[in-house]
Amino acid sequence: MRLIFYIFLISQFLNFLGVFAEKVKEDSSGLNSVNWTKVDENKRKPLKKIIWKSYKNDEFYFGDQKRQGSIINKTKLSNEERKYESSKKSVSSIIEIEPFLPLNNFLDNGNYQTSIRWKSSFEGGVSGGTGQQNPAFIFDYGISDSSLMTVYFAEADDDLYNLIDGQKVNYNWQNYAISFKKELLNGDVNSLRVSIVPTIEYWRQASGTKDSKSIFNQKDSLNGRDRFDNLIGSLSLPISKKLNENLTALIVPGINFLPEKLGSKGIGKNAYGNNFYIGSGLVFDVAKDLNLLFSYTTPLGPGNNYFDSDLKYSRKPIYSIGLGWDINPKIGIEGKITNSFGATPSTGLLTIPSDDLALYSAKITYKPYEKNTYLTPLIKRDKSIRNGGITVNNALLPKAGTSQIKFNYDSKGNLFGFYGYSLSNIFQLELLSIGSFNDLNFSKSKNSNLYSTYLGENNLNYRLGGKLLIFSPQKNDLYWLTFRSSVGRNDDSNQGYLFTEFINTFRLNNWLAFNISPKYFFSGVESFGGIGFSSYINLSDNLMLIPEINTSIKNDSDFNSTLALRYSLSPEKSLDLYYSNAVGVQDIGQILKNEEYTFGINLNFLY
């Protein structure tokens, strides 16, 4: 339940950032200021002829004064200065390759950005599920144009990836970190850039339960939980040079300070210890908003960054390769393959506990100060479908700054809630999708193992995800296309799954739109694809019929159908009544079949 609490805090924080950024932007542009001047009534000036023009919402004419000022000032820059400014902006959104490999890039004075990073193994190991995960929340703030403060929070709470002495062993850590980066050297565009980055962290580690032995107990066979709280830290010196217009090289000497012994039941060293390291990296600008990222780091000791299933500690090199893409000035995403499991500067050098595996790392960054992607307003009929369907989603997104809330209940007692927030016109963060499946009849199903793992008694499924708009008629494309993905777990079995879909929405005429949505379910229990089809049929201005079908793509495929009637009280509020034999409306429930049909109700709100 702690994750739900953190998600709630993040949602409120994002709302605050959006409002605060807009307020600061208005104040800085002078929109809220009043300038009083004395007018001489006796002096009359001849009226000038007014020339009316149609600017068609051209933002060049109606943009803020700050932007116009920057355009004027840039014309006065020399060619070398323009080249340097351009080179900085092409990588300005990338603050680090890994937490322990900071780049010599900074935010403008007073600007800030927030990021969510998700590191995970591809499989769940002995615990099952989608993987051993270490999610992190990051806040960057530009103290000046040459200094940056970063705050990290990260928590990993899965069992160890491998068995220890034939047992599953609980192992988790929690990090609170604050880092400060200060530029020491910066010449022209082709010279060396050097910074210094100290970090201090609070690190809580725990292992063992009443049914398993702690890995920090090497003296006896007693089960029990050990917990340790330590102050740790790191220091790094990133040195970078721009080799050409598109390629930047990075060398990072550094050290992390970690405990080498925890508790009184260890034999010798039973923890990582201090480590010097030399890191290297490359940032290649494939395009203006697209970067390839490479890194390789060698731990030098005297401590370690890895331990195996026999609890033997040693050192492993750390690598990463990935891609960073600024979708628009507000939103950046990053995907990498790496064996770095830690999510803070002091722990980023560590591999996944009990193994050395290639992991995937996904990151999204939100910059509230930056300009949004412009989309033309939706027509009235399209506004009524922004809340999606019942078991088949559509590709439309609420505009930036809009919160979306859904409540669902059916005659079987299934209960679900959803909260999403649009960080941009083209990206919605699904901050909370929570619900419980109830009274399911799957005794005859060939998917009984899948049902019992995620949909059995006392299940509470909570999920986090995002929805990215790729194509839209609002920016002169033929149709809407979005990519949606979510992760989460069952609170009872502690098992999770990944759910993805490419959603295609087509508007045929004023009264008919339809969706095609290929879907994929991935878990440690089973993985398979599916596809959903649906239509939106306008019966009147406020009344809409929504038929839907879903089928999984496998030998023993499930096929379900739903028929819904939507009444729109306003473009932002609607009520759905439906009849369905889908297991439920939350991700996995959309592509599985219940043996009985149920009646349900959806409440949809945008604000």
Side-chain angles (χ1 to χ4, degrees):
M1 296 301 290
R2 285 182 298 181
L3 179 60
I4 298 173
F5 175 69
Y6 296 143
I7 289 172
F8 176 78
L9 286 181
I10 292 171
S11 69
Q12 300 309 309
F13 186 60
L14 290 174
N15 274 295
F16 166 77
L17 289 183
V19 173
F20 179 73
E22 194 64 33
K23 176 65 176 175
V24 172
K25 186 175 181 181
E26 289 180 0
D27 290 345
S28 65
S29 64
L31 295 178
N32 292 332
S33 60
V34 179
N35 295 321
W36 298 95
T37 58
K38 184 177 180 180
V39 178
D40 191 348
E41 295 183 354
N42 296 323
K43 283 190 176 182
R44 295 178 178 268
K45 294 185 178 180
L47 294 175
K48 294 183 178 180
K49 183 179 180 181
I50 299 174
I51 300 175
W52 298 96
K53 292 184 179 181
S54 175
Y55 294 104
K56 297 182 179 180
N57 296 324
D58 191 336
E59 290 187 6
F60 178 82
Y61 296 99
F62 298 98
D64 58 49
Q65 295 177 9
K66 183 177 179 181
R67 179 178 177 273
Q68 294 178 19
S70 67
I71 293 173
I72 295 170
N73 290 335
K74 279 188 181 290
T75 61
K76 300 179 181 179
L77 297 176
S78 67
N79 289 336
E80 184 66 21
E81 288 172 326
R82 276 199 297 269
K83 182 178 179 183
Y84 181 52
E85 290 296 319
S86 176
S87 69
K88 288 197 301 180
K89 288 185 180 300
S90 66
V91 294
S92 61
S93 64
I94 305 175
I95 302 300
E96 62 189 27
I97 297 181
E98 289 290 338
F100 60 97
L101 295 177
L103 291 167
N104 289 306
N105 296 326
F106 296 85
L107 300 179
D108 291 339
N109 181 20
N111 279 9
Y112 49 84
Q113 63 185 31
T114 58
S115 304
I116 295 175
R117 179 192 287 116
W118 192 279
K119 287 187 174 183
S120 174
S121 59
F122 287 91
E123 296 181 352
V126 297
S127 297
T130 54
Q132 306 285 293
Q133 298 154 356
N134 189 11
F137 175 74
I138 306 153
F139 176 77
D140 300 299
Y141 179 77
I143 298 176
S144 71
D145 290 347
S146 61
S147 56
L148 180 77
M149 181 183 70
T150 303
V151 178
Y152 299 83
F153 169 75
E155 182 173 29
D157 61 357
D158 292 302
D159 292 339
L160 288 177
Y161 192 84
N162 294 312
L163 297 175
I164 306 295
D165 292 331
Q167 281 188 319
K168 286 185 181 181
V169 177
N170 177 261
Y171 180 78
N172 60 70
W173 66 38
Q174 193 176 76
N175 292 83
Y176 300 87
I178 184 167
S179 176
F180 177 76
K181 179 166 63 176
K182 175 63 181 174
E183 189 172 66
L184 301 179
L185 177 64
N186 182 11
D188 61 35
V189 67
N190 294 316
S191 69
L192 286 177
R193 300 182 67 190
V194 182
S195 301
I196 186 170
V197 188
T199 302
I200 187 169
E201 304 185 25
Y202 168 75
W203 192 21
R204 173 178 292 171
Q205 291 173 272
S207 177
T209 64
K210 63 180 182 179
D211 300 316
S212 65
K213 179 182 167 181
S214 165
I215 65 167
F216 304 111
N217 177 10
Q218 299 167 324
K219 288 188 175 180
D220 57 52
S221 58
L222 296 177
N223 293 336
R225 182 175 178 83
D226 290 326
R227 196 186 87 174
F228 304 98
D229 300 272
N230 290 284
L231 282 179
I232 60 175
S234 66
L235 181 67
S236 62
L237 196 72
I239 305 168
S240 63
K241 180 176 176 60
K242 199 165 183 64
L243 302 180
N244 59 44
E245 187 175 348
N246 298 318
L247 184 62
T248 300
L250 178 74
I251 297 293
V252 184
I255 181 173
N256 60 4
F257 304 97
L258 305 178
E260 64 179 22
K261 186 171 182 179
L262 295 172
S264 59
K265 294 185 178 182
I267 300 175
K269 297 179 181 179
N270 65 343
Y272 294 105
N274 301 334
N275 253 308
F276 288 95
Y277 64 87
I278 293 290
S280 59
L282 291 173
V283 179
F284 178 65
D285 302 340
V286 179
K288 180 182 178 182
D289 301 316
L290 191 65
N291 308 98
L292 282 174
L293 310 171
F294 307 88
S295 74
Y296 188 87
T297 302
T298 302
L300 303 176
N304 303 291
N305 68 330
Y306 157 82
F307 68 86
D308 61 18
S309 57
D310 295 321
L311 300 182
K312 293 181 180 178
Y313 285 78
S314 61
R315 293 189 288 275
K316 298 287 184 180
I318 300 298
Y319 58 85
S320 71
I321 178 171
L323 192 68
W325 177 30
D326 285 340
I327 302 168
N328 70 5
K330 275 185 175 291
I331 303 293
I333 60 174
E334 181 183 283
K336 289 205 296 279
I337 300 297
T338 179
N339 65 336
S340 163
F341 185 72
T344 63
S346 303
T347 62
L349 202 64
L350 307 181
T351 68
I352 188 170
S354 80
D355 216 325
D356 176 25
L357 298 173
L359 316 172
Y360 68 86
S361 173
K363 180 181 178 183
I364 178 169
T365 299
Y366 173 52
K367 295 158 278 189
Y369 272 99
E370 298 297 340
K371 182 181 175 183
N372 209 341
T373 299
Y374 177 75
L375 299 179
T376 58
L378 291 169
I379 64 174
K380 184 177 180 181
R381 291 293 172 93
D382 290 333
K383 287 182 179 180
S384 63
I385 66 175
R386 284 177 299 175
N387 272 306
I390 311 300
T391 64
V392 179
N393 296 314
N394 68 51
L396 278 70
L397 265 68
K399 66 180 181 180
T402 301
S403 292
Q404 182 177 21
I405 295 178
K406 294 184 179 183
F407 294 106
N408 173 270
Y409 182 77
D410 67 24
S411 56
K412 286 287 186 179
N414 293 328
L415 182 63
F416 300 97
F418 171 90
Y419 174 72
Y421 181 79
S422 295
L423 297 178
S424 164
N425 287 335
I426 63 170
F427 185 81
Q428 181 190 56
L429 183 62
E430 298 180 358
L431 284 160
L432 183 62
S433 175
I434 186 171
S436 179
F437 299 89
N438 186 58
D439 193 22
L440 299 177
N441 182 1
F442 54 86
S443 58
K444 298 179 181 180
S445 173
K446 296 180 181 179
N447 297 312
S448 58
N449 188 32
L450 196 66
Y451 278 74
S452 60
T453 302
Y454 300 107
L455 315 174
E457 294 296 325
N458 303 316
N459 68 81
L460 180 64
N461 291 273
Y462 53 91
R463 306 188 59 73
L464 175 71
K467 190 175 178 182
L468 170 66
L469 181 68
I470 301 172
F471 297 146
S472 171
Q474 297 169 265
K475 51 188 183 78
N476 299 321
D477 298 315
L478 294 177
Y479 66 101
W480 287 274
L481 170 64
T482 61
F483 172 73
R484 178 183 172 271
S485 184
S486 69
V487 293
R489 65 178 58 182
N490 182 342
D491 194 48
D492 180 57
S493 64
N494 205 34
Q495 297 297 303
Y497 65 89
L498 171 70
F499 191 83
T500 62
E501 52 187 329
F502 277 97
I503 313 168
N504 303 268
T505 300
F506 304 84
R507 168 64 70 180
L508 293 185
N509 52 45
N510 195 41
W511 58 271
L512 178 62
F514 73 94
N515 303 287
I516 303 174
S517 178
K519 310 177 183 186
Y520 189 75
F521 170 86
F522 171 78
S523 76
V525 177
E526 188 177 350
S527 299
F528 58 88
I531 189 166
F533 301 91
S534 70
S535 297
Y536 296 95
I537 305 170
N538 289 97
L539 304 178
S540 68
D541 287 342
N542 298 324
L543 200 61
M544 180 184 295
L545 188 67
I546 309 175
E548 301 175 339
I549 59 172
N550 289 278
T551 182
S552 57
I553 305 172
K554 53 181 182 175
N555 293 333
D556 52 341
S557 63
D558 285 310
F559 181 91
N560 66 61
S561 61
T562 301
L563 184 63
L565 188 65
R566 171 170 296 172
Y567 178 75
S568 297
L569 290 79
S570 71
E572 291 76 32
K573 300 176 184 178
S574 62
L575 169 68
D576 302 329
L577 300 176
Y578 66 90
Y579 184 62
S580 175
N581 68 334
V583 164
V585 301
Q586 185 193 56
D587 292 351
I588 186 177
Q590 297 177 2
I591 52 178
L592 295 179
K593 176 184 177 181
N594 195 3
E595 295 300 322
E596 302 173 7
Y597 278 85
T598 60
F599 288 97
I601 183 172
N602 255 349
L603 299 177
N604 308 304
F605 303 95
L606 295 172
Y607 69 92

